[in-house]
Amino acid sequence: MLWVRAIAGVTGDRATQLEQEVQQLIQAAVRLGLKEAEGIGLETLMMMNVNRSNFTELHEHSLRAAEISRVSSPVTAARLLAYSGSCLAEIRQDMNRAEALLLEAESLADRVGAEPIDLVCGLGCVYAYQANYAEAQPRLQRALQMAQAEQDHWRECNVLSYLAMLELEVGNPAAALPYCHEMAIVAAKTPEEGSEGAIATALTALANYQLQQSAAAVDLEQAINLLYQVDAKRMLAYVLVGAAEVDLNHQQLERAMTHAEAALQTAQSINQPCEITLAGTLLVQTALALGETDRAATQFKFLQTQVDRRSLSVRAQRAIDRLVEQFK
């Protein structure tokens, strides 16, 4: 029942109370040796951690759920491994482990004739991270169909956002807009206190900003403010990076600097290596465009201390590689 409440979406004091109740039940399940019940509890906590951008605890709970899967039935193990791997993949943390968990889940699922939606979505996110968009898109499309069939609006919104982001990242904002529109419709069916509607609005605004539509700049700033209000830090960092890229490409240098600085600050607050790297490279490029070479050099040195290439997506790796070439 608490798992269902978490899917429905809770925030604030109600989220804190729900987490406490789940923790108590997990402890009871441990005492009674009920591994599958413990797994459901951990799934619930992971779901709440994703919603609140609490990535440290999400990582810990994902690893613990993976351990529980070793002593669960094959069906439960496949579901737990798929959910653990998907959570890590969706937040782009510990991606090697995420892929390993998902591939193990795929092997188990094939044996029992199952197809967990988290397995399909998680692999789509892994391939998007690797910039293998030809493999990512069909899996995300399949995950969307599964979420729609199950009338799982929370997952449907998530997958729609990933499909929109994929189109934005390959430079096809017009193709992102239908996903954004559909997400806004589905978000209206979710609890008003969730962030899905704000995310749909922000991705729409970013797509229109890339397309240089009239009033797009005003709409984007309003959408960014809305993301601040709902505390959707992961999406906020993503949108700010996307805005700074557009600004830099159109020589709106002061605006690019403002957006990139805000993106870096937000990404650092939730320890998102990819967005830290992308925001940092944009800051350096903007400083160079402004003729501020000393500032660019200082920022580049700082960025190098922050970046571990092994934790970066292909997109972020390419960005830092281009920057290194400029400083040779």
Side-chain angles (χ1 to χ4, degrees):
M1 288 176 65
L2 298 183
W3 181 80
V4 172
R5 283 179 59 193
I7 287 179
V10 290
T11 58
D13 292 341
R14 286 195 293 172
T16 301
Q17 181 182 355
L18 177 60
E19 182 176 2
Q20 291 173 349
E21 292 177 26
V22 173
Q23 292 280 16
Q24 290 170 0
L25 287 175
I26 288 175
Q27 292 171 9
V30 170
R31 289 195 301 271
L32 295 168
L34 301 176
K35 293 296 183 182
E36 298 205 11
E38 184 183 353
I40 293 171
L42 288 169
E43 279 188 67
T44 307
L45 290 179
M46 286 188 285
M47 194 183 308
M48 296 176 68
N49 288 328
V50 169
N51 290 339
R52 294 189 295 179
S53 298
N54 190 347
F55 300 140
T56 300
E57 290 192 14
L58 173 60
H59 187 263
E60 294 173 1
H61 292 146
S62 296
L63 299 184
R64 185 173 163 193
E67 290 176 6
I68 293 173
S69 73
R70 312 300 178 202
V71 291
S72 302
S73 67
V75 173
T76 299
R79 193 189 75 244
L80 281 174
L81 288 168
Y83 193 70
S84 299
S86 180
C87 282
L88 293 176
E90 289 180 43
I91 64 171
R92 301 186 174 193
Q93 295 271 337
D94 204 351
M95 291 298 287
N96 288 334
R97 185 182 293 273
E99 185 175 14
L101 291 173
L102 289 165
L103 292 176
E104 186 176 354
E106 186 175 44
S107 177
L108 279 172
D110 286 344
R111 278 169 41 197
V112 297
E115 188 185 27
I117 184 174
D118 295 308
L119 170 60
V120 181
C121 182
L123 285 173
C125 290
V126 167
Y127 286 124
Y129 180 87
Q130 296 169 348
N132 188 348
Y133 300 116
E135 292 289 343
Q137 188 172 51
R139 283 171 173 77
L140 292 174
Q141 289 283 7
R142 173 61 181 153
L144 176 61
Q145 293 170 356
M146 295 170 74
Q148 290 170 333
E150 296 173 11
Q151 295 188 336
D152 187 336
H153 299 317
W154 181 73
R155 280 190 174 88
E156 189 176 355
C157 280
N158 274 0
V159 179
L160 284 166
S161 72
Y162 302 145
L163 284 164
M165 291 160 70
L166 188 150
E167 297 293 352
L168 290 171
E169 288 174 22
V170 299
N172 197 2
L177 285 171
Y179 294 124
C180 297
H181 177 69
E182 191 174 351
M183 184 181 176
I185 294 172
V186 178
K189 303 174 185 177
T190 63
E192 293 183 5
E193 60 189 10
S195 61
E196 290 82 5
I199 291 172
T201 298
L203 289 174
T204 300
L206 180 57
N208 284 326
Y209 198 57
Q210 286 189 5
L211 291 166
Q212 293 291 282
Q213 298 287 346
S214 60
V218 174
D219 291 342
L220 180 66
E221 294 310 315
Q222 290 176 345
I224 288 171
N225 288 333
L226 188 56
L227 290 177
Y228 275 113
Q229 290 172 24
V230 300
D231 200 30
K233 290 187 178 72
R234 188 159 54 105
M235 183 55 63
L236 177 60
Y238 180 88
V239 170
L240 286 166
V241 164
E245 287 176 332
V246 174
D247 297 331
L248 183 58
N249 289 338
H250 290 88
Q251 293 300 300
Q252 299 291 326
L253 300 182
E254 294 298 336
R255 188 180 295 172
M257 188 68 75
T258 299
H259 282 146
E261 286 175 341
L264 180 60
Q265 182 178 7
T266 303
Q268 287 175 323
S269 73
I270 54 173
N271 190 27
Q272 287 283 279
C274 296
E275 273 63 41
I276 289 172
T277 300
L278 292 168
T281 58
L282 286 164
L283 281 174
V284 176
Q285 290 171 327
T286 303
L288 288 172
L290 287 167
E292 301 176 2
T293 54
D294 289 343
R295 180 179 182 180
T298 300
Q299 181 63 45
F300 178 61
K301 290 178 181 178
F302 169 76
L303 183 60
Q304 288 181 305
T305 67
Q306 298 289 300
V307 171
D308 178 357
R309 188 181 178 84
R310 295 168 298 179
S311 66
L312 299 181
S313 65
V314 170
R315 180 187 176 206
Q317 288 178 9
R318 289 171 178 169
I320 196 72
D321 287 344
R322 287 193 297 269
L323 204 59
V324 170
E325 286 298 317
Q326 286 182 264
F327 276 88
K328 279 186 176 179

